[in-house]
Amino acid sequence: MNTFGNLYRLTSFGESHGAAIGGVIDGCPAGLELDISFIQKALDRRRPGQSSLTTSRQESDQVEFLSGTFEGRTTGTPLGFIIRNQNQHSDDYENLRDAYRPSHADFTYQQKYGIRDHRGGGRSSARETATRIVGGAIAQLALRELGVSIIAYTSQVGTIQLNKSYSSLDLNLVDATPVRCPDPAIARQMIELIEQVKAEGDTIGGVISCVCCGVPTGWGEPVFGKLHAALGNAMLSINAAKGFDYGLGFEGVNYKGSEVNDLFYRRDDGTLGTKTNHSGGIQGGISNGSAIYFRVAFKPIATLLQKQTTVDKNGQSIELQVKGRHDPCVLPRAVPIVEAMAAMTLLDYYLLASSQSKARSKS
Amino acid sequence: MNTFGNLYRLTSFGESHGAAIGGVIDGCPAGLELDISFIQKALDRRRPGQSSLTTSRQESDQVEFLSGTFEGRTTGTPLGFIIRNQNQHSDDYENLRDAYRPSHADFTYQQKYGIRDHRGGGRSSARETATRIVGGAIAQLALRELGVSIIAYTSQVGTIQLNKSYSSLDLNLVDATPVRCPDPAIARQMIELIEQVKAEGDTIGGVISCVCCGVPTGWGEPVFGKLHAALGNAMLSINAAKGFDYGLGFEGVNYKGSEVNDLFYRRDDGTLGTKTNHSGGIQGGISNGSAIYFRVAFKPIATLLQKQTTVDKNGQSIELQVKGRHDPCVLPRAVPIVEAMAAMTLLDYYLLASSQSKARSKS
Amino acid sequence: MNTFGNLYRLTSFGESHGAAIGGVIDGCPAGLELDISFIQKALDRRRPGQSSLTTSRQESDQVEFLSGTFEGRTTGTPLGFIIRNQNQHSDDYENLRDAYRPSHADFTYQQKYGIRDHRGGGRSSARETATRIVGGAIAQLALRELGVSIIAYTSQVGTIQLNKSYSSLDLNLVDATPVRCPDPAIARQMIELIEQVKAEGDTIGGVISCVCCGVPTGWGEPVFGKLHAALGNAMLSINAAKGFDYGLGFEGVNYKGSEVNDLFYRRDDGTLGTKTNHSGGIQGGISNGSAIYFRVAFKPIATLLQKQTTVDKNGQSIELQVKGRHDPCVLPRAVPIVEAMAAMTLLDYYLLASSQSKARSKS
Amino acid sequence: MNTFGNLYRLTSFGESHGAAIGGVIDGCPAGLELDISFIQKALDRRRPGQSSLTTSRQESDQVEFLSGTFEGRTTGTPLGFIIRNQNQHSDDYENLRDAYRPSHADFTYQQKYGIRDHRGGGRSSARETATRIVGGAIAQLALRELGVSIIAYTSQVGTIQLNKSYSSLDLNLVDATPVRCPDPAIARQMIELIEQVKAEGDTIGGVISCVCCGVPTGWGEPVFGKLHAALGNAMLSINAAKGFDYGLGFEGVNYKGSEVNDLFYRRDDGTLGTKTNHSGGIQGGISNGSAIYFRVAFKPIATLLQKQTTVDKNGQSIELQVKGRHDPCVLPRAVPIVEAMAAMTLLDYYLLASSQSKARSKS
């Protein structure tokens, strides 16, 4: 259950305050040029300490590959990699050894396993997602050769909302601000809100939107492996994720079929397309050639710097004052994680579809 | 990819207009009394023709078990079952042989497989979900012995919304109206809306809410097998589902951590609980002992009885007038499907958790 | 655990004396012509009552397909099928309700599940293998288009042994005798031995050899998915199988590397091959283009018609006299089962290899 | 395909001449004391350079755990570990860059992936099995608490055969000689043979036997997950393995059912057992409480120090003289690998059985 994917698979390991985190990527196509600087850049977008909106922990998150490549290319064998942990202040967490932070995984881990590493959240820390960035970046390298691109961005922080379709945004601006919202005016408001919340020792939630262009028709399995179900599963595995929808999603329930059906037509080049894309690029669980877009809801991070009433493992009521360096808002750093999970899912489904279409053409 | 689950697994087969649909349930605990009337009642809640809100197709949906039981009890071996198809009017679909219904799976199946059964939607028909009802009903029988209950209900149709928490509803009233909304006044409005839409030959979307009570702490895997990700994957595999959230979900992004964190306290009986349940019963991917609740968004069904402009497989523009008997709204019949998918997911995660906790106590 | 395969998957169900056995074949390439008479012929080779060497039970083993085809071709959706049970004499087994046959699965099923269907061996009956024949025959149809052929034959019964390589045999003669040994003289001796054993109410073991021609290089996964490990797993899942080896196998341990290494050379057509094939067509877990050959050892069937001392479930010592109609030797009917399991394995690995090679050529 | 197991899972990575090999162990029971010296001792039994019978390469094979433990105990989260490669002489392999060693994986890897790391055999090197030792040692720690012990030993080298049952051997003597045969006289002959073969620059095959005591009834799945099929799959995944049998295996085909059936009786303590154990501790794929024993055949290692005729990747005929330090016989170092694979398989099946039996007792 620490493995993600069917044919392209990431197995991840590691706790926040252990020696290292890392993973194994299995099923990566052979012969792919492993662009390390591309992968490191992706890690840098997620790493802590990159702006005033994020935790001040400084971790360089340098990835070391241990296997699976030869003379700069992937060989089809598994890619093992590690990222050493650094800059841990384990002492900051000593008062969490027996205490359960409200809305955090402390309690459920203790109940499930009878033992837990309380330092820095242990395995439940979002630090684990750095391994997904590695898996996702390599998937993106492979998808790039297939003409597929994936861009995520912050579309809501608290009640500050970006009410525009992806097609009317300049997605080159995502990284122009530290909040990763491509609309500069909205981004400013989001940044102000996060800074205000941070000053209060509080946290705030939000929404990330993502769009995947260039996916051809035919990726996705019709019943239990629907492409959007796989994407939903991937997104809901990200820390603090509370919801997922695609296409018109929850908003679309307000409409009639006649208002939102995507009518087919023939393009000038003879291919078939749809005039609108309310479906979000997927029909019956299978990609239809249009852009795939979806949203992921994130709750405010559970770890506050405010005093909270809770209990310890003996059931004693305590006042808990968390120390340490924490993010006031998960959104800015979660943008590359959403992209990574989308990339791994899409490459996995490309490989599944490949075996089928090759089989079909033969028979 | 027609198999759902890890240890409790349903493999489903069947098209709308083939000889039969059916499935194989593997991993069902041995010694369970197989209450056939309970299973049949669950099927009856999903079957077509049960009210004026649903398609007028009459199918009795009688399930026949072929294996896996001995003298009324499950034996631990796989349960094979079939449901014969009846009352098909395949001729109604002849004009769909080469046409692609807007926002339907016709186009993507054809592209993916190069061949499709156009009659009644073939494999993409929601008829397939009857097999899930069987798998889910048996899971519910097993969960009942563990004290777990699952209730779903319609909480929105178009813009008619039930704005109440599950805890303030009388969930015994779910089946009191054919729309399966437990608030009689709201239910009436929903019914009116569906009937109006039906009269127009149109369709309408909505939201189903679901609450699972009695799940103990410890079900769920921390990283890629988070309990809510599994539930999300399950729900998004249902036909016409477009979104999923749990706990405060998309609504919760508007709040600060200090407003929505669930504070722990010690109950009078010495056990630990939370004062609120904004988390939706799951923390860090693992059940925390509180009620699990979530929502599923459904789009308006793609198949309208209105004329639509589309193309055929040669790219010719056509005016399509669909015949046949179709639902104006998926919600009423989807309520038991949501329950079935939740039940299969929960039983599966119970079995996963069992192996771990037994292992733990030994070592 | 009633599902076999990764991408081409058979899920089987059914007991010997239930209503029917059957299965679901998932992942079959779309567009394949479903040659029902080919499949039925394969079933006829396995069915009971076909000769004096097998049980006298008469079952026609007619397969009924319920889904997954359209106008004679597979559609890429799962193929559900059933084979009704007939000619059962459940009363013959009444004295086995509480008794444990020596070396049979009666005891272990009872211990594992706390309940079992004692009639005809229930799920542990080799009757279940009829579903594998269906899955295997369809795999053979697909493999045939790829130029792959699979032939198994009886190479040993008791101490009567066929000491010839597959390449010196006329494999067209396999079905010339009911024992399915392609050497007529040896076949006669085997038949005599089986008839003698049958007259004694006893049973006898043996070995089946199998050769797969036309498999190109590149099928198989290098570490835990080695092609020969997958074949071994497949063969050892057949009832009464006790051993598996491939290439020189157990015999080859006697040799030095210099005696058995297969030297590469360039064929006249420019392709590379090996002068000998001691490896059995697989190197490092991956097919090398030579014929794949292997052996499967089968123990004498546990169910004798002689009186045996055993215990019942209360631990009482009893004299057990089994009634019913049983095979004196599993070999003749196991030949098509070996072929079926090989075919499913090879098609599965073809599909796995397809996704990889397509991925490779793109990247 | 670099992951082994269902609930207890090892994912391995690494090439012979890369930076490190390593793996991730997922599903290990929580709360287990991680006895590092036990694990290191297991690695030492496999490491090169331990005696004159093995390669002279000196690698200390120190394992470094990176995650999954807290204060000396496992936490239920994945155990990541690495073993740095040392003492590589990559230059020794330069003449293998384009050459295909006879009966080695060079050719098939190149064909499958279009690229390979030729140094030290790359991924096809038996070096990878060190990761299995780690996974197996931890499994043995868990099994020890369940009363299960696993002992393997060399029972044949070339034609020198140990013709004794495990029950008549003193298994404490396995490590008394470097060849790991518990019969001192036979061991001496084996050692002589290996030294002679080594002097010739040749290699020799053999057989390893293994016995697992203390496995209770009920481990194993009846159809496609038979315990012996899982063991066979595990053993055949070991480098150079060519065959597997259990119980009487290939030898047992010579007997009649009446000669080899294991008769049940009631022991003095009231439990049920069998008078003989020809079945090898498994009936119908499920453990029956008796000792499980099996054999694994290993071919002579393909890499000789003799000159061999072969081709390079352009099809040119070449005389190949391999350099480097190679084992003359795989057997002595494969003994702990057989134990490791058996341990991982048994723990995995214990976990599978646990979920079932817990489920059963509840329902």
Side-chain angles (χ1 to χ4, degrees):
Chain A
M1 284 304 199
N2 290 280
T3 297
F4 179 81
N6 298 283
L7 293 180
Y8 181 82
R9 308 180 1 139
L10 169 70
T11 299
S12 101
F13 66 84
E15 277 83 36
S16 184
H17 286 220
I21 60 171
V24 186
I25 295 160
D26 202 0
C28 183
L32 184 71
E33 201 180 323
L34 199 70
D35 183 341
I36 302 285
S37 75
F38 179 87
I39 299 165
Q40 191 59 52
K41 245 175 247 164
L43 279 165
D44 293 345
R45 292 181 79 209
R46 193 215 70 97
R47 79 169 178 84
Q50 61 183 284
S51 84
S52 67
L53 300 187
T54 66
T55 166
S56 61
R57 281 196 316 279
Q58 288 293 343
E59 298 202 70
S60 62
D61 284 357
Q62 291 291 323
V63 62
E64 179 189 4
F65 284 96
L66 303 171
S67 67
T69 65
F70 183 64
E71 301 183 341
R73 293 187 175 275
T74 59
T75 59
T77 65
L79 294 134
F81 65 90
I82 59 173
I83 301 169
R84 293 273 169 194
N85 289 327
Q86 302 173 315
N87 197 244
Q88 302 134 308
H89 296 184
S90 298
D91 291 349
D92 284 354
Y93 297 86
E94 195 52 36
N95 68 334
L96 293 180
R97 182 182 276 270
D98 295 329
Y100 298 139
R101 278 171 291 176
S103 288
H104 205 281
D106 298 333
F107 172 71
T108 51
Y109 269 67
Q110 186 70 40
Q111 293 291 312
K112 185 177 184 71
Y113 297 114
I115 182 175
R116 80 193 152 95
D117 183 348
H118 65 279
R119 301 166 306 161
R123 181 72 178 155
S124 73
S125 165
R127 175 140 191 78
E128 177 272 334
T129 56
T131 68
R132 310 187 190 195
I133 297 286
V134 176
I138 294 175
Q140 279 180 292
L141 288 172
L143 288 168
R144 210 162 56 173
E145 303 199 5
L146 299 164
V148 174
S149 70
I150 298 166
I151 299 183
Y153 54 92
T154 300
S155 57
Q156 185 170 352
V157 173
T159 53
I160 315 288
Q161 214 171 334
L162 174 65
N163 279 315
K164 290 178 181 167
S165 154
Y166 65 88
S167 55
S168 63
L169 293 167
D170 180 354
L171 295 176
N172 293 312
L173 297 182
V174 171
D175 277 5
T177 63
V179 76
R180 297 206 161 93
C181 170
D183 181 302
I186 303 285
R188 248 189 319 274
Q189 295 176 51
M190 290 174 170
I191 291 170
E192 270 168 38
L193 176 56
I194 295 174
E195 284 178 340
Q196 175 199 321
V197 161
K198 183 184 176 186
E200 296 166 3
D202 214 333
T203 59
I204 188 76
V207 175
I208 290 176
S209 295
C210 183
V211 55
C212 312
C213 297
V215 176
T217 54
W219 297 9
E221 300 299 311
V223 176
F224 295 123
K226 289 187 165 80
L227 184 54
H228 56 261
L231 286 167
N233 178 55
M235 297 306 144
L236 291 162
S237 77
I238 302 175
N239 305 46
K242 299 296 283 189
F244 167 88
D245 66 4
Y246 77 105
L248 291 191
F250 275 95
E251 171 66 14
V253 308
N254 299 311
Y255 295 96
K256 297 181 185 172
S258 61
E259 295 172 312
V260 294
N261 272 357
D262 295 316
L263 303 186
F264 285 104
Y265 76 108
R266 183 179 178 165
R267 296 195 196 91
D268 292 343
D269 65 1
T271 61
L272 302 186
T274 56
K275 291 185 181 168
T276 50
N277 183 15
H278 300 131
S279 295
I282 301 172
Q283 276 158 346
I286 302 166
S287 63
N288 69 2
S290 300
I292 294 169
Y293 63 95
F294 57 84
R295 299 188 307 153
V296 190
F298 291 91
K299 70 169 184 176
I301 290 171
T303 304
L304 314 181
L305 294 179
Q306 299 179 356
K307 204 168 273 187
Q308 293 180 95
T309 305
T310 186
V311 296
D312 65 17
K313 75 176 179 185
N314 305 313
Q316 292 303 311
S317 180
I318 56 173
E319 288 290 299
L320 183 68
Q321 174 66 59
V322 171
K323 287 171 282 186
R325 296 154 299 172
H326 300 278
D327 288 276
C329 179
V330 79
L331 280 284
R333 292 176 59 203
V335 163
I337 306 170
V338 165
E339 291 176 356
M341 296 306 296
M344 289 198 284
T345 304
L346 289 178
L347 183 60
D348 191 33
Y349 273 73
Y350 160 69
L351 295 174
L352 284 169
S354 290
S355 70
Q356 294 157 347
S357 63
K358 181 144 178 213
R360 180 152 70 84
S361 66
K362 284 275 182 180
S363 60
Chain B
M1 284 305 199
N2 289 281
T3 296
F4 179 82
N6 298 283
L7 293 180
Y8 181 81
R9 309 182 359 140
L10 169 69
T11 300
S12 101
F13 67 83
E15 277 83 36
S16 184
H17 286 220
I21 61 171
V24 185
I25 295 160
D26 202 0
C28 183
L32 183 73
E33 200 181 323
L34 199 71
D35 183 341
I36 302 284
S37 75
F38 179 87
I39 299 164
Q40 191 59 52
K41 245 175 247 165
L43 280 166
D44 292 345
R45 291 181 79 210
R46 194 216 69 98
R47 80 170 176 82
Q50 61 184 284
S51 84
S52 67
L53 299 187
T54 66
T55 167
S56 61
R57 281 197 315 278
Q58 289 293 342
E59 298 202 71
S60 62
D61 283 358
Q62 292 290 323
V63 62
E64 179 189 3
F65 284 96
L66 302 171
S67 68
T69 65
F70 182 63
E71 301 183 341
R73 293 188 173 273
T74 59
T75 59
T77 63
L79 294 134
F81 65 90
I82 58 173
I83 300 170
R84 293 275 169 191
N85 289 326
Q86 302 173 315
N87 196 243
Q88 303 134 308
H89 295 184
S90 297
D91 292 349
D92 285 354
Y93 296 87
E94 195 52 35
N95 67 335
L96 293 179
R97 182 183 275 270
D98 295 328
Y100 299 139
R101 278 171 290 177
S103 288
H104 206 282
D106 298 334
F107 172 71
T108 51
Y109 270 65
Q110 186 71 40
Q111 292 291 310
K112 185 177 183 70
Y113 297 114
I115 182 176
R116 80 192 152 97
D117 183 346
H118 65 280
R119 301 166 304 161
R123 181 72 178 155
S124 73
S125 165
R127 175 139 190 80
E128 177 272 334
T129 57
T131 68
R132 310 188 189 194
I133 297 286
V134 176
I138 294 174
Q140 278 180 292
L141 288 171
L143 288 169
R144 211 162 57 174
E145 302 199 6
L146 299 165
V148 174
S149 70
I150 297 166
I151 298 183
Y153 54 92
T154 300
S155 56
Q156 186 170 350
V157 173
T159 54
I160 316 287
Q161 213 171 333
L162 174 65
N163 279 316
K164 289 179 182 167
S165 154
Y166 65 89
S167 53
S168 63
L169 293 168
D170 180 355
L171 296 176
N172 293 311
L173 297 182
V174 171
D175 278 5
T177 63
V179 76
R180 296 205 162 95
C181 170
D183 181 303
I186 303 286
R188 248 189 318 274
Q189 295 176 52
M190 290 172 170
I191 292 169
E192 271 168 38
L193 176 57
I194 296 174
E195 285 178 338
Q196 175 199 320
V197 161
K198 183 184 175 186
E200 296 166 2
D202 214 332
T203 60
I204 188 77
V207 174
I208 290 176
S209 295
C210 182
V211 55
C212 311
C213 297
V215 176
T217 55
W219 296 9
E221 301 299 312
V223 177
F224 295 122
K226 289 188 166 78
L227 184 55
H228 57 261
L231 286 167
N233 178 55
M235 297 307 144
L236 290 162
S237 78
I238 302 175
N239 306 46
K242 298 295 284 189
F244 168 88
D245 65 6
Y246 78 106
L248 291 191
F250 276 95
E251 172 65 15
V253 307
N254 299 311
Y255 294 97
K256 298 180 185 172
S258 61
E259 294 171 312
V260 294
N261 271 358
D262 295 316
L263 304 186
F264 285 103
Y265 75 109
R266 183 183 181 162
R267 295 196 197 90
D268 291 343
D269 66 0
T271 61
L272 301 185
T274 56
K275 291 183 181 170
T276 50
N277 183 16
H278 299 132
S279 294
I282 301 172
Q283 277 159 345
I286 302 166
S287 62
N288 70 2
S290 298
I292 294 169
Y293 63 94
F294 58 83
R295 298 188 308 153
V296 191
F298 290 91
K299 70 170 185 176
I301 291 171
T303 305
L304 314 181
L305 295 179
Q306 299 179 356
K307 204 168 274 187
Q308 292 180 96
T309 305
T310 186
V311 296
D312 65 16
K313 75 176 180 184
N314 304 313
Q316 292 303 311
S317 181
I318 55 172
E319 287 290 299
L320 184 68
Q321 174 66 59
V322 171
K323 288 171 281 187
R325 297 153 298 171
H326 301 279
D327 287 276
C329 178
V330 79
L331 279 285
R333 292 176 59 202
V335 163
I337 304 171
V338 165
E339 291 175 357
M341 295 308 295
M344 288 197 285
T345 304
L346 289 178
L347 183 60
D348 192 33
Y349 273 73
Y350 160 69
L351 295 174
L352 283 169
S354 291
S355 69
Q356 294 157 347
S357 62
K358 181 146 178 209
R360 179 151 69 85
S361 65
K362 283 274 181 181
S363 57
Chain C
M1 285 305 200
N2 289 282
T3 296
F4 179 82
N6 297 284
L7 292 180
Y8 181 81
R9 310 181 358 139
L10 170 69
T11 299
S12 102
F13 67 83
E15 276 83 36
S16 184
H17 285 220
I21 60 171
V24 185
I25 295 160
D26 201 0
C28 182
L32 184 71
E33 200 180 325
L34 199 70
D35 183 341
I36 301 285
S37 75
F38 179 88
I39 300 164
Q40 190 60 51
K41 246 175 248 164
L43 279 166
D44 292 346
R45 292 180 79 210
R46 194 215 70 97
R47 79 170 178 84
Q50 59 185 283
S51 84
S52 67
L53 299 187
T54 66
T55 167
S56 62
R57 279 198 316 278
Q58 289 292 343
E59 299 202 71
S60 61
D61 284 357
Q62 292 290 322
V63 62
E64 178 189 4
F65 285 96
L66 302 171
S67 67
T69 65
F70 183 64
E71 301 183 341
R73 293 189 173 272
T74 59
T75 59
T77 65
L79 294 134
F81 65 90
I82 59 174
I83 301 169
R84 294 274 169 191
N85 289 328
Q86 301 173 315
N87 197 243
Q88 302 134 309
H89 296 184
S90 299
D91 291 350
D92 284 354
Y93 296 87
E94 194 52 34
N95 68 336
L96 293 179
R97 180 182 279 269
D98 295 328
Y100 299 139
R101 278 171 291 178
S103 289
H104 206 282
D106 298 335
F107 172 70
T108 50
Y109 270 66
Q110 186 71 40
Q111 292 291 310
K112 185 177 183 70
Y113 298 114
I115 182 175
R116 79 191 153 98
D117 183 347
H118 64 279
R119 301 166 305 163
R123 181 71 178 155
S124 73
S125 164
R127 175 140 190 77
E128 178 272 333
T129 56
T131 68
R132 311 188 190 194
I133 297 285
V134 177
I138 294 175
Q140 277 180 293
L141 288 172
L143 288 168
R144 210 161 57 173
E145 303 200 5
L146 299 165
V148 174
S149 70
I150 298 165
I151 299 184
Y153 54 92
T154 300
S155 56
Q156 185 170 352
V157 173
T159 53
I160 316 287
Q161 214 172 331
L162 174 65
N163 280 316
K164 290 178 182 167
S165 153
Y166 65 89
S167 54
S168 63
L169 292 168
D170 180 355
L171 296 176
N172 293 311
L173 297 182
V174 172
D175 278 4
T177 63
V179 76
R180 298 206 159 95
C181 171
D183 181 302
I186 303 285
R188 248 188 319 274
Q189 297 176 51
M190 291 173 170
I191 292 169
E192 270 167 39
L193 177 56
I194 295 174
E195 284 178 341
Q196 174 199 321
V197 161
K198 183 184 175 186
E200 297 166 3
D202 214 332
T203 60
I204 188 76
V207 174
I208 291 176
S209 295
C210 183
V211 55
C212 312
C213 298
V215 176
T217 55
W219 297 8
E221 302 298 312
V223 177
F224 295 122
K226 288 186 166 80
L227 183 55
H228 57 261
L231 286 166
N233 177 56
M235 297 308 144
L236 291 162
S237 77
I238 302 175
N239 307 46
K242 299 296 283 189
F244 167 89
D245 65 5
Y246 78 106
L248 292 191
F250 276 95
E251 172 65 15
V253 308
N254 299 312
Y255 295 97
K256 298 182 186 171
S258 62
E259 294 171 311
V260 295
N261 271 357
D262 295 316
L263 303 186
F264 285 104
Y265 75 110
R266 183 182 180 162
R267 296 195 195 88
D268 291 343
D269 65 1
T271 62
L272 302 184
T274 56
K275 290 183 182 169
T276 50
N277 183 16
H278 299 133
S279 294
I282 301 173
Q283 277 159 347
I286 303 167
S287 61
N288 70 0
S290 298
I292 294 168
Y293 63 95
F294 58 84
R295 298 187 308 153
V296 191
F298 291 90
K299 70 170 184 176
I301 291 172
T303 304
L304 314 181
L305 295 180
Q306 298 180 357
K307 204 170 272 190
Q308 292 181 95
T309 305
T310 187
V311 296
D312 65 17
K313 75 176 180 187
N314 304 313
Q316 292 303 310
S317 180
I318 55 173
E319 287 291 299
L320 184 68
Q321 174 67 60
V322 171
K323 288 170 282 186
R325 299 154 297 173
H326 301 278
D327 288 276
C329 178
V330 78
L331 279 286
R333 291 176 60 202
V335 163
I337 305 171
V338 165
E339 292 175 356
M341 295 308 295
M344 288 198 285
T345 304
L346 289 178
L347 183 59
D348 192 33
Y349 272 74
Y350 160 68
L351 295 174
L352 284 169
S354 290
S355 69
Q356 294 157 348
S357 63
K358 181 146 178 209
R360 179 153 69 86
S361 65
K362 284 275 183 179
S363 58
Chain D
M1 285 304 199
N2 289 282
T3 297
F4 179 82
N6 297 283
L7 293 180
Y8 182 81
R9 308 179 2 138
L10 169 69
T11 300
S12 101
F13 67 84
E15 276 84 35
S16 185
H17 285 221
I21 60 169
V24 186
I25 295 160
D26 201 0
C28 183
L32 184 72
E33 200 180 325
L34 199 71
D35 183 340
I36 302 284
S37 75
F38 179 88
I39 299 164
Q40 190 60 51
K41 244 175 250 165
L43 280 166
D44 292 346
R45 293 180 78 210
R46 194 215 70 96
R47 79 170 178 82
Q50 60 185 284
S51 86
S52 67
L53 299 187
T54 65
T55 168
S56 62
R57 279 198 316 278
Q58 288 294 342
E59 297 203 70
S60 62
D61 283 357
Q62 293 290 323
V63 62
E64 178 189 3
F65 283 97
L66 302 171
S67 67
T69 65
F70 183 64
E71 301 183 341
R73 292 188 173 274
T74 58
T75 59
T77 65
L79 293 135
F81 65 90
I82 59 175
I83 300 169
R84 293 274 169 193
N85 289 327
Q86 303 173 316
N87 197 241
Q88 303 134 308
H89 296 184
S90 298
D91 291 349
D92 284 354
Y93 297 87
E94 194 52 35
N95 67 336
L96 293 179
R97 181 182 276 271
D98 295 329
Y100 298 139
R101 279 171 290 178
S103 289
H104 206 282
D106 299 335
F107 172 71
T108 51
Y109 269 67
Q110 186 70 39
Q111 293 291 311
K112 184 177 184 70
Y113 298 114
I115 182 175
R116 79 191 154 96
D117 183 348
H118 65 280
R119 301 166 304 162
R123 181 70 178 156
S124 73
S125 164
R127 175 141 188 77
E128 177 272 334
T129 57
T131 69
R132 310 187 190 195
I133 297 286
V134 177
I138 294 175
Q140 277 179 293
L141 288 171
L143 288 169
R144 208 162 57 172
E145 303 199 5
L146 299 165
V148 174
S149 70
I150 297 165
I151 299 184
Y153 54 93
T154 301
S155 55
Q156 185 171 351
V157 174
T159 53
I160 316 288
Q161 213 170 334
L162 174 65
N163 279 317
K164 290 179 181 167
S165 154
Y166 64 88
S167 54
S168 63
L169 293 168
D170 180 355
L171 296 177
N172 293 312
L173 297 182
V174 172
D175 277 5
T177 62
V179 75
R180 297 207 161 92
C181 170
D183 181 302
I186 304 284
R188 247 188 321 273
Q189 296 177 51
M190 290 173 171
I191 292 169
E192 271 167 38
L193 176 56
I194 295 173
E195 285 177 341
Q196 174 200 321
V197 162
K198 184 184 173 186
E200 296 166 2
D202 214 331
T203 59
I204 188 76
V207 174
I208 291 177
S209 295
C210 183
V211 56
C212 311
C213 297
V215 176
T217 54
W219 298 8
E221 301 299 312
V223 177
F224 295 122
K226 288 187 166 79
L227 183 55
H228 56 260
L231 286 167
N233 178 55
M235 297 307 144
L236 291 163
S237 77
I238 302 175
N239 306 46
K242 298 296 283 189
F244 167 88
D245 66 4
Y246 78 107
L248 292 192
F250 275 95
E251 171 66 14
V253 309
N254 299 311
Y255 295 96
K256 297 182 187 172
S258 61
E259 295 171 313
V260 295
N261 272 356
D262 296 316
L263 303 186
F264 285 103
Y265 76 109
R266 183 181 180 164
R267 297 195 195 89
D268 291 343
D269 65 1
T271 61
L272 301 186
T274 57
K275 290 184 181 169
T276 49
N277 183 17
H278 300 132
S279 295
I282 301 172
Q283 276 159 346
I286 302 167
S287 62
N288 70 1
S290 299
I292 294 168
Y293 62 96
F294 58 84
R295 299 187 308 153
V296 191
F298 291 91
K299 69 169 186 177
I301 290 172
T303 305
L304 314 181
L305 295 180
Q306 298 180 356
K307 204 169 274 190
Q308 293 181 96
T309 305
T310 186
V311 295
D312 65 16
K313 75 177 181 186
N314 305 313
Q316 293 302 311
S317 180
I318 55 173
E319 287 291 300
L320 184 67
Q321 174 66 61
V322 171
K323 287 170 282 186
R325 298 154 298 174
H326 301 278
D327 288 276
C329 178
V330 79
L331 278 286
R333 292 176 60 203
V335 162
I337 304 171
V338 165
E339 291 175 356
M341 295 308 295
M344 288 198 285
T345 305
L346 289 178
L347 183 61
D348 192 33
Y349 273 73
Y350 160 68
L351 294 174
L352 284 169
S354 290
S355 68
Q356 293 157 348
S357 62
K358 180 145 178 210
R360 179 153 69 85
S361 65
K362 284 275 182 181
S363 58

